[in-house]
Amino acid sequence: MISRNGNGRYTLGKVVQGEDRKSFGLKPISRKKGGCALNSFELIRASHEYKEVIRNLMQFYVYDFSEFEPCDVEADGLFGPYPYLEDYWKEESLRYPYVIKQNDKYAGFVLVRLIESGERRYFSMAEFFMMKKYRKKGIGKSVAKQIFHLHKGQWEVFQLESNQPARIFWTKVIDEFTQGQFKARVENGRTIQEFMS
């Protein structure tokens, strides 16, 4: 379950002290005297003002990805720009950008596409990134499931065969989300999961 406020923010997780938010069942990650530290996060539909944030976070994403793909920095020491980023604010009925925040700090981003090809129409997880300090805490899994709930319909999610951590993550998330009702195939060096949300 999610809640959307007037600013396009989807609030997920526990109530944070001092804020008027609904609780959606994330468990505290630790308990402290006088209260608890909460594993709370927000999934925010990224308006144009977040474009530079995603552009900057993309540097860390490409750096992580360079372990599996031949990516090198350019003369200025930065990775080249993501070629389709501008399209996410030009094709708003086909592309959906999100930023992820935990405790008001940026934790990652999600780029979703709606692909219409011939008679086929399906959602695709174009890019999904969690910064390393926020991984293995259940946030990425919860965000992915919320994205699937937000975009109902046919889905395809793919990972490079060489990217074993991504294959393990997505297989587990999709298996849990669909209760095992998905198909998987290997095609052109990629593992692809198909399912309905």
Side-chain angles (χ1 to χ4, degrees):
M1 298 295 293
I2 60 174
S3 172
R4 185 176 183 184
N5 66 23
N7 296 325
R9 290 174 181 252
Y10 296 90
T11 303
L12 314 166
K14 282 273 193 177
V15 174
V16 177
Q17 288 183 350
E19 296 185 32
D20 183 21
R21 294 179 178 169
K22 290 183 179 180
S23 173
F24 291 102
L26 276 182
K27 295 179 181 177
I29 54 175
S30 64
R31 294 205 170 268
K32 295 182 179 177
K33 199 171 186 178
C36 60
L38 300 174
N39 191 8
S40 60
F41 63 92
E42 289 180 306
L43 178 63
I44 304 165
R45 176 73 185 265
S47 59
H48 198 271
E49 68 188 87
Y50 289 101
K51 183 171 66 174
E52 286 304 309
V53 172
I54 295 176
R55 190 189 310 280
N56 293 337
L57 289 172
M58 192 69 72
Q59 289 290 309
F60 300 104
Y61 174 68
V62 177
Y63 171 76
D64 279 2
F65 216 73
S66 67
E67 182 179 349
F68 309 105
E69 283 281 284
C71 305
D72 291 298
V73 296
E74 298 185 347
D76 59 1
L78 297 173
F79 291 103
Y82 183 72
Y84 311 108
L85 189 59
E86 293 287 341
D87 295 340
Y88 280 84
W89 290 272
K90 293 178 181 175
E91 302 175 353
E92 294 186 6
S93 63
L94 299 174
R95 296 177 189 261
Y96 309 89
Y98 297 89
V99 293
I100 306 160
K101 295 182 86 173
Q102 194 219 21
N103 297 330
D104 293 321
K105 304 291 185 186
Y106 291 109
F109 65 84
V110 183
L111 300 179
V112 175
R113 290 185 62 199
L114 175 59
I115 298 173
E116 297 177 316
S117 175
E119 295 181 1
R120 297 195 64 214
R121 186 176 190 270
Y122 61 95
F123 291 102
S124 173
M125 194 72 73
E127 315 295 346
F128 187 96
F129 176 63
M130 293 292 301
M131 293 180 69
K132 285 189 176 180
K133 70 177 286 184
Y134 300 105
R135 296 176 193 173
K136 301 187 185 300
K137 296 181 179 182
I139 298 173
K141 179 170 70 172
S142 295
V143 167
K145 290 178 179 180
Q146 293 302 332
I147 290 288
F148 298 150
H149 281 299
L150 284 169
H151 301 283
K152 297 285 190 186
Q154 184 70 38
W155 272 89
E156 283 194 7
V157 178
F158 75 87
Q159 312 87 51
L160 294 175
E161 275 290 287
S162 59
N163 190 346
Q164 184 177 4
R167 287 191 293 113
I168 292 169
F169 172 80
W170 286 111
T171 299
K172 182 176 180 180
V173 169
I174 292 167
D175 184 59
E176 285 183 15
F177 179 78
T178 65
Q179 298 181 341
Q181 301 299 307
F182 71 98
K183 296 178 182 177
R185 69 183 192 274
V186 177
E187 187 177 286
N188 298 323
R190 304 185 306 174
T191 296
I192 304 170
Q193 295 95 354
E194 295 181 59
F195 60 96
M196 288 291 293
S197 65

